Amino acid sequence: MKKARGDQKSQAQKPTSRFAWEWIFFLCTLALLGFVWLLDRDAGARAWSSFLALAGQILPILAIVYVALFAFNLMDAPVWLKRYVGAESGLRGWGVTLGAGALSLGPIYPWFIVLGELKAKGMRPALAAAFLYSRAVKPPLIPIMIHYFGAAFTLALMFFILVFAVLNGIVMGWLMSRPEKDTV
Amino acid sequence: MDLRKRFVTAGRKTGKSALGTLPVLLGVLLLTGLLTTLAADHLQAISGTIQGAAGPFIGAAMGSIAAGHPMTSYVIGGELLAQGISSTAIAALIVSWVTVGLVQLPAEATALGVRFALWRAVLCFISAVAIAYLTVGSIEYFS
């Protein structure tokens, strides 16, 4: 009885404390910036400017992502999701994921949110990991990379990144399918 | 389910997602700002530590901590190459820069789960070193 009451209490408290650590994390980073500013005002000011510039780039993209998520949440596990990245997507799933990862643009943060939603709706963890890894292939930046390191180095690096995107995906899929107590 | 109820449910879900991810993302952006500022100030000192047999591991570690546009890693890699740092260490730095992202870890953990984010970081670090050796090794083999 006592335990049941305790469970009810903890469940009742859950909604209010749900996002507590997220806000604590944000306040800690803000405090860290304040600490750096106290030690070195110039570095603190430059870090703050850098943050504002980054936020200016990312927040508009996030707004679009949340609108897309809202539209996505209106649907119930769409058919295309199961077909292309779901449990039965097979080789097509790998092809779609690697291609989409390599061609995906912009900062990684909005992609975390998109992948989190897709994963919750049935995307294979292996494909989520492979997508994130294949983002290391940046076709628009290949000419710059060739300029700095040469064509042979760039092509070999891109090839191995794609190979390891698949390998990492396979290993992540296996790790995520294991019971939680056996892993990190 | 009627349309109004669907809209309310979708709005709630999206709102919850935003409430959970926004503070972490803002915190991660603050950390990124701090890190890029401090790393730029100490680039010369950092480059001295990336020499020798441990170079690829130190390169991968630096890339894992670093944050910012991938092009920055190419520019830093180019600078380090000109200073005589090995291609293997630079390859490890470039790959881990775009694949690991320790600064982004809280954001990844919030969206995809702590276990997923931690295991991925470990695997990506090991892969960055392996890719670096394979890339340079294959170039040397075929040339």
Side-chain angles (χ1 to χ4, degrees):
Chain A
M1 181 72 183
K2 199 174 180 181
K3 190 178 179 291
R5 200 177 296 157
D7 288 346
Q8 277 174 3
K9 196 180 172 186
S10 67
Q11 277 186 359
Q13 282 174 345
K14 216 175 174 183
T16 51
S17 61
R18 193 178 172 118
F19 301 117
W21 86 262
E22 285 90 342
W23 287 103
I24 289 169
F25 171 76
F26 173 63
L27 291 175
C28 284
T29 55
L30 208 58
L32 187 67
L33 179 73
F35 183 67
V36 170
W37 185 77
L38 283 176
L39 291 176
D40 182 346
R41 299 213 165 184
D42 177 51
R46 277 185 293 132
W48 179 250
S49 303
S50 174
F51 162 71
L52 289 180
L54 280 170
Q57 282 171 20
I58 287 167
L59 290 179
I61 302 170
L62 272 186
I64 297 167
V65 166
Y66 287 127
V67 171
L69 280 188
F70 176 75
F72 189 64
N73 281 328
L74 282 172
M75 302 179 268
D76 290 323
V79 178
W80 63 264
L81 186 87
K82 285 177 189 163
R83 188 185 299 164
Y84 292 109
V85 290
E88 288 134 36
S89 55
L91 274 178
R92 177 168 43 190
W94 287 100
V96 167
T97 304
L98 294 181
L103 295 174
S104 66
L105 297 170
I108 199 164
Y109 310 107
W111 290 109
F112 286 147
I113 300 167
V114 171
L115 289 175
E117 286 293 325
L118 290 176
K119 196 166 153 262
K121 294 223 178 206
M123 183 185 197
R124 289 154 66 189
L127 296 184
F131 176 92
L132 290 171
Y133 208 92
S134 60
R135 271 179 53 82
V137 178
K138 305 270 181 203
L141 299 182
I142 285 176
I144 299 164
M145 210 173 179
I146 290 173
H147 166 75
Y148 277 109
F149 309 109
F153 180 92
T154 305
L155 291 177
L157 196 74
M158 294 299 140
F159 170 75
F160 285 116
I161 286 172
L162 284 175
V163 170
F164 273 80
V166 176
L167 291 178
N168 271 290
I170 292 168
V171 176
M172 281 298 291
W174 175 71
L175 286 169
M176 291 302 108
S177 65
R178 295 171 71 198
E180 201 156 336
K181 62 181 177 183
D182 293 344
T183 53
V184 168
Chain B
M1 206 191 301
D2 67 281
L3 199 64
R4 192 175 170 274
K5 206 170 174 184
R6 265 185 120 125
F7 265 79
V8 172
T9 313
R12 261 199 205 131
K13 270 189 186 171
T14 313
K16 264 184 195 171
S17 172
L19 264 178
T21 50
L22 261 181
V24 180
L25 281 179
L26 288 173
V28 166
L29 293 183
L30 268 170
L31 276 181
T32 308
L34 267 170
L35 208 76
T36 46
T37 304
L38 298 178
D41 290 353
H42 299 99
L43 184 63
Q44 282 292 329
I46 290 166
S47 67
T49 64
I50 202 171
Q51 312 272 15
F57 292 92
I58 297 167
M62 274 171 58
S64 305
I65 300 163
H69 197 276
M71 210 163 78
T72 316
S73 73
Y74 303 165
V75 177
I76 291 173
E79 291 287 318
L80 293 174
L81 198 66
Q83 286 177 32
I85 305 295
S86 76
S87 304
T88 321
I90 290 160
L93 175 113
I94 293 169
V95 176
S96 62
W97 187 296
V98 278
T99 56
V100 184
L102 286 184
V103 178
Q104 304 149 8
L105 207 65
E108 186 176 348
T110 307
L112 292 154
V114 176
R115 201 157 68 107
F116 182 95
L118 287 178
W119 270 121
R120 211 181 70 79
V122 171
L123 283 175
C124 287
F125 181 85
I126 297 166
S127 304
V129 178
I131 288 174
Y133 277 112
L134 284 168
T135 301
V136 176
S138 61
I139 291 170
E140 282 171 1
Y141 181 80
F142 287 111
S143 62

